[in-house]
Amino acid sequence: TMNNLKKTVQVLTIGGILPFLLLAVSSILLKEHTESFQSAFSNYSTAIVCFVAGSQWGLLLKKATLSFILTQTNLITLISICGLFINPLGSNIINIVCFLWLLYLERILFLNQITAPWYFYLRKNTTITVVLIIFAKILQVKSCNLLILIFSHRPHPQPIV
């Protein structure tokens, strides 16, 4: 039934947010593995971008009038994957753009009555949550790097007079 589908989609969507949180928190708590967690975070983010783009692509196979979205979802996927070839910070920034772009396309699907209102609002809230987590992750990495820079700076030795 529709209620079962709705509940399943909601549970799976919320379940998809959890790795973002776990990887972000793990990279803070387990500092000796920060680089591995940063890489896993970027990889997972890219995987989810590809998944969401693919789900939109699948919805559009029924609606030929919105075929321009097919091209955009493929482009978004390729951009996100290319982000993996740069550093995790760059990949995270690229994925924020990709998630927001996908949300824009999701809005078009909603306005054209291809997706149900509950699904659009679920996707909107999920996208906002994920973008905020990625943004917080970027700030955490940048602030940690800044603190390391500040506290690792040693004053120049004073000349002996």
Side-chain angles (χ1 to χ4, degrees), residues 28-84:
I28 294 168
L29 298 177
L30 303 170
K31 292 188 187 320
E32 65 275 6
H33 301 289
T34 297
E35 196 171 309
S36 295
F37 285 118
Q38 286 175 348
S39 179
F41 188 90
S42 297
N43 292 341
Y44 182 72
S45 183
T46 297
I48 297 301
V49 165
C50 294
F51 174 80
V52 172
S55 68
Q56 288 182 355
W57 204 88
L59 289 170
L60 285 165
L61 293 177
K62 302 176 206 169
K63 194 80 166 180
T65 58
L66 297 174
S67 61
F68 69 95
I69 294 179
L70 293 174
T71 306
Q72 289 188 38
T73 57
N74 284 333
L75 183 60
I76 291 167
T77 299
L78 293 173
I79 289 169
S80 183
I81 290 170
C82 287
L84 292 174

